[in-house]
């Protein structure tokens, strides 16, 4: 497997985790996933949380990662960061 293929596979896995966590968080919050995505983007939670810490997050359950997303969003919105 080439380095490019490995990189593309990792990018796919990161996106897959992010999408699954956002979809699950939207369900738990009773909101539309695209609206939730916009809120998460506003606070950098997708890039600086889900994607940046993929190595740590992918070892957790999807429920745990979903709760991480929700808690991160609530904390950032409460602080107005």
């Amino acid at each position: 497997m080439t380095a490019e293929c490995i990189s593309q596979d990792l990018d796919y896995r990161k996106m897959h985790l992010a999408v699954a966590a956002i979809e699950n968080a939207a369900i738990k919050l009773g909101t539309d996933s695209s609206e939730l995505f916009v809120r998460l983007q506003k606070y950098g939670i997708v890039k600086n949380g889900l994607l940046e810490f993929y190595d740590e997050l992918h070892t957790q359950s999807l429920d745990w990662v979903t709760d991480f997303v929700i808690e991160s969003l609530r904390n950032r919105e409460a602080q107005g960061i």
Side-chain angles (χ1 to χ4, degrees):
M1 194 175 237
T2 67
E4 184 178 338
C5 287
I6 292 170
S7 176
Q8 288 174 348
D9 184 56
L10 181 59
D11 289 344
Y12 172 81
R13 290 173 186 259
K14 286 180 179 182
M15 284 298 159
H16 186 268
L17 177 66
V19 168
I22 293 167
E23 288 289 332
N24 277 3
I27 291 167
K28 277 190 168 185
L29 294 172
T31 190
D32 182 72
S33 58
S34 60
E35 291 175 18
L36 179 59
F37 177 75
V38 169
R39 289 168 59 197
L40 294 170
Q41 286 286 88
K42 178 180 177 182
Y43 295 103
I45 296 169
V46 176
K47 181 180 178 188
N48 300 322
L50 289 170
L51 301 179
E52 184 174 331
F53 292 102
Y54 169 81
D55 289 339
E56 293 82 8
L57 295 174
H58 87 279
T59 64
Q60 304 298 321
S61 71
L62 182 56
D63 282 336
W64 191 95
V65 178
T66 299
D67 291 341
F68 164 79
V69 168
I70 293 169
E71 183 177 346
S72 297
L73 180 62
R74 287 182 175 157
N75 288 340
R76 297 248 169 62
E77 286 181 332
Q79 296 172 2
I81 297 174

